[in-house]
């Protein structure tokens, strides 16, 4: 079996003594695939992404990644830093030789369809464009793994599906691996595989269509009460 881009082996994590936010988690995401992670509020989705991003370390088990990760968060206003589109992407490259900046900024902005706007002030972008800018920041750093924690939470339905489609295209064209957290079932049709977290455990894995069917059949609310659902 080839080396996966994301590997969790029997991973557990507790924020507080005696209470595990994640337990017994096994996950194997092959390189070049677009996966989604679903679960109720408090089921452990963000904790899992924080483990993958190296912001916290597991109290149990093993995490392995193909390389550095790019992290895209819910609120686009919390991750764009510089005044213009191009400067924002270049900012993330400060530790690379300056001779590389221009080329990598242009390539990353082209990949997310923002190159034409590279001189535009960031405040003039839509929410969806700001999320694409955050993704460009990660692409410019050429990370092999992209983690997105409810990147569509602040977007309207049209921009939401557009972003999901764009990440699907990016994964196909660049070979990057993406793990996308969502509450929104309609986004599932863009992923290769999806997993369901309930009470800190991965309880289901399948295609987007299989997960959609499972969630409907079990009358799981996409916002609440999944933790009570049978595995
Ligand atoms: N910084 C923290 N300190 C203490 N407990 C935390 C912290 N972050 C999360 N938790 C707890 O860990 C559990 C999982 O939370 P997490 O944020 O990972 O869930 P989530 O699935 O991302 O939820 P949501 O859908 O609301 O974003 C919850 O019980 C939560 O209260
Ligand atoms: Mg969360």
């Amino acid at each position: 079996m080839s080396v996966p881009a994301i590997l969790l082996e029997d991973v557990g994590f507790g924020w507080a003594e005696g209470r595990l936010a994640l337990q017994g988690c096994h996950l194997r995401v092959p390189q070049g695939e677009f996966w989604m992670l679903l679960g109720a509020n408090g089921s452990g989705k963000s904790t899992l992404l924080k483990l993958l991003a190296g912001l916290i370390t597991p109290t149990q088990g093993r995490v392995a990644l193909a390389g550095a990760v790019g992290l895209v968060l819910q609120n686009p206003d919390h991750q764009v830093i510089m005044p213009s589109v191009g400067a924002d992407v270049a900012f993330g490259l400060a530790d690379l030789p300056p001779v590389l900046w221009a080329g990598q900024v242009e390539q990353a902005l082209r990949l997310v369809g923002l190159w034409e706007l590279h001189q535009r002030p960031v405040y003039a972008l839509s929410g969806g464009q700001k999320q694409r800018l955050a993704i460009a920041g990660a692409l410019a750093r050429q990370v092999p793994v992209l983690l997105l924690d409810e990147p569509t939470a602040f977007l309207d339905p049209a921009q939401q599906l557009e972003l999901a489609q764009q990440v699907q295209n990016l994964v196909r064209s660049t070979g990057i691996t993406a793990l996308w957290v969502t509450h929104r079932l309609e986004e599932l049709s863009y992923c290769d595989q999806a997993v369901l977290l309930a009470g800190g455990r991965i309880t289901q894995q399948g295609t987007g269509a299989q997960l959609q069917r499972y969630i409907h059949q079990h009358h799981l609310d996409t916002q609440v009460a999944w933790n009570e659902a049978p595995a």
Side-chain angles (χ1 to χ4, degrees), residues 68-82:
V69 303
L71 189 56
V72 177
L73 303 172
Q74 281 188 356
N75 190 334
D77 289 322
H78 290 171
Q79 51 200 336
V80 289
I81 295 164
M82 298 298 281

Side-chain angles (χ1 to χ4, degrees), residues 23 75-76 103 109 114 125 135 141 144 158 172 199:
Q23 50 190 319
N75 190 334
L109 286 172
L114 286 182
L125 299 182
I135 293 169
R141 289 185 288 111
R172 300 266 182 281

Side-chain angles (χ1 to χ4, degrees), residues 13-16 19-22 38-50 74 149-150 181-183 197 200 222-223:
F13 179 83
W15 288 104
R19 198 161 162 269
L20 288 175
L22 293 173
L38 287 98
N41 289 123
S43 58
K45 304 180 299 296
S46 295
T47 302
L48 197 149
L49 284 206
K50 284 174 185 155
Q74 281 188 356
D149 195 353
E150 300 193 43
V181 168
T182 187
H183 281 291
L197 256 184
T222 55
Q223 297 294 331

Side-chain angles (χ1 to χ4, degrees), residues 26-173:
H26 290 272
L27 181 67
R28 189 183 180 90
V29 181
Q31 296 191 22
E33 294 197 3
F34 182 17
W35 283 42
M36 289 189 181
L37 176 62
L38 287 98
N41 289 123
S43 58
K45 304 180 299 296
S46 295
T47 302
L48 197 149
L49 284 206
K50 284 174 185 155
L51 276 172
L52 292 174
L55 301 174
I56 52 177
T57 46
T59 40
Q60 190 191 317
R62 189 169 82 96
V63 174
L65 290 154
V69 303
L71 189 56
V72 177
L73 303 172
Q74 281 188 356
N75 190 334
D77 289 322
H78 290 171
Q79 51 200 336
V80 289
I81 295 164
M82 298 298 281
S84 80
V85 167
D88 192 75
V89 177
F91 180 77
L93 304 180
D95 54 343
L96 295 183
V99 65
L100 296 176
W101 293 353
Q104 284 183 213
V105 168
E106 178 173 348
Q107 186 187 28
L109 286 172
R110 283 195 188 284
L111 280 167
V112 299
L114 286 182
W115 174 242
E116 275 62 42
L117 306 183
H118 71 279
Q119 289 181 316
R120 183 161 295 194
V122 165
Y123 67 77
L125 299 182
S126 69
Q129 287 170 332
K130 283 182 193 162
Q131 289 302 56
R132 282 152 58 192
L133 178 56
I135 293 169
L139 295 175
R141 289 185 288 111
Q142 304 192 320
V143 297
V145 177
L146 194 57
L147 307 171
L148 308 103
D149 195 353
E150 300 193 43
T152 60
F154 287 77
L155 305 186
D156 63 44
Q159 290 191 61
Q160 170 205 349
L161 295 186
E162 199 185 320
L163 191 71
Q165 179 148 44
Q166 188 136 27
V167 170
Q168 184 189 47
N169 292 341
L170 260 181
V171 167
R172 300 266 182 281
S173 64

